[in-house]
Amino acid sequence: MSSLHPRAGRRCHNAVNPLHSTVYFSPDYAKELAGIGVEDTSAAYFAGRAAALGAVGPGTVTATFYNFSHELIARHLPAVWDTASPATVLDARMRAVDATLRRLLGDAVTSPEMAEAARLALRATEACSRPARPLYAAHADLPVPEEPHLAFWHAATLLREHRGDGHLTALLSAGLDPLEALVSHTATGKGMSPRWILASRGWRRTDWEAASDRLRERGLLDADGELTEAGTALRADLEEHTDRLDFAPYEHLGAPGVERLTELGRGFLMAAAAAGAFPDDLTGRG
């Protein structure tokens, strides 16, 4: 019987994952991708996150990213690979990660705490598994960078995609399509704001309203767009299902290691957020 609390992995993920995400909001990322010819922001995101999969087409990205409009993805893939190869994109992404973390965290990138966080996160990834986890598996084939802050980012990426791949299984089990997943998550107050979703995911306001109507028909959303008791329970079940699928890395690391990695991750996250890593209106229901 494991001594690890069932939600300890989720808490650790919530501390570590956002530091991974900083790169996609970073001006350094936009600069590096533009430098290799990828200037469109959507194309840059799709290329950067999918490059580990190789020169894939829109179908693969729609399947693995889940909550983006296929039409938006198909506008940019596979055409983006004619501009820059996956290897070139991955190199540009890592340069952006380096610049972003140095800008946001300053001297912390060379601190003993960063080296410790990298060791702990990499140890956790030893228990991640490839089957049925395509984004994780693709990133797991990439080399581990030598510098601690880049190694930590790489490990955070592996842990993020491992949990994310499992989360898609939970969403399918719950019968939530891509936009229903987004609408219900936003209704918890923890998801991205509708403005950001519509601007970045390729959906229209009419699509959002149609998904909301479907959730109301299932009794998951009320007339005001709030989660019903059933909707709240479904979202809680989703996260618990995801926790179970993502338990192995944190069980492998052990309770003390998970607690320490969570502490370190939160410290880096607070510093990054204070340095302006994320837009002010990124989350919420507005």
Side-chain angles (χ1 to χ4, degrees), residues 87-173:
T88 299
V89 171
L90 287 170
D91 287 343
R93 184 177 71 164
M94 193 55 72
R95 290 195 299 271
V97 170
D98 183 41
T100 299
L101 294 183
R102 289 182 184 279
R103 177 171 51 81
L104 295 175
L105 300 180
D107 291 342
V109 299
T110 57
S111 67
E113 289 79 12
M114 181 62 75
E116 182 185 7
R119 287 194 301 271
L120 290 169
L122 287 169
R123 189 184 309 158
T125 67
E126 293 170 356
C128 291
S129 57
R130 285 181 171 84
R133 300 182 195 266
L135 271 175
Y136 161 75
H139 282 87
D141 287 343
L142 300 178
V144 178
E146 290 186 9
E147 292 186 80
H149 66 296
L150 301 182
F152 179 54
W153 187 88
H154 173 77
T157 303
L158 297 182
L159 293 171
R160 167 211 171 95
E161 300 298 9
H162 188 269
R163 184 177 181 86
D165 287 337
H167 189 60
L168 300 194
T169 298
L171 289 172
L172 289 172
S173 298

Side-chain angles (χ1 to χ4, degrees), residues 68-100:
F68 287 79
S69 160
H70 179 72
E71 288 71 22
L72 174 62
I73 297 168
R75 283 180 216 154
H76 303 292
L77 294 175
V80 72
W81 309 124
D82 293 332
T83 300
S85 70
T88 299
V89 171
L90 287 170
D91 287 343
R93 184 177 71 164
M94 193 55 72
R95 290 195 299 271
V97 170
D98 183 41
T100 299

Side-chain angles (χ1 to χ4, degrees), residues 204-217:
R204 298 177 294 273
R205 176 61 66 173
T206 53
D207 299 322
W208 181 275
E209 295 302 334
S212 299
D213 287 343
R214 294 193 297 274
L215 293 172
R216 290 188 185 98
E217 290 170 6

Side-chain angles (χ1 to χ4, degrees), residues 164-202:
D165 287 337
H167 189 60
L168 300 194
T169 298
L171 289 172
L172 289 172
S173 298
L176 292 177
D177 70 25
L179 200 44
E180 292 165 359
L182 289 168
V183 171
S184 61
H185 190 210
T186 294
T188 68
K190 299 176 182 178
M192 291 178 70
S193 69
R195 186 182 79 80
W196 270 94
I197 289 171
L198 297 178
S200 65
R201 264 57 179 170

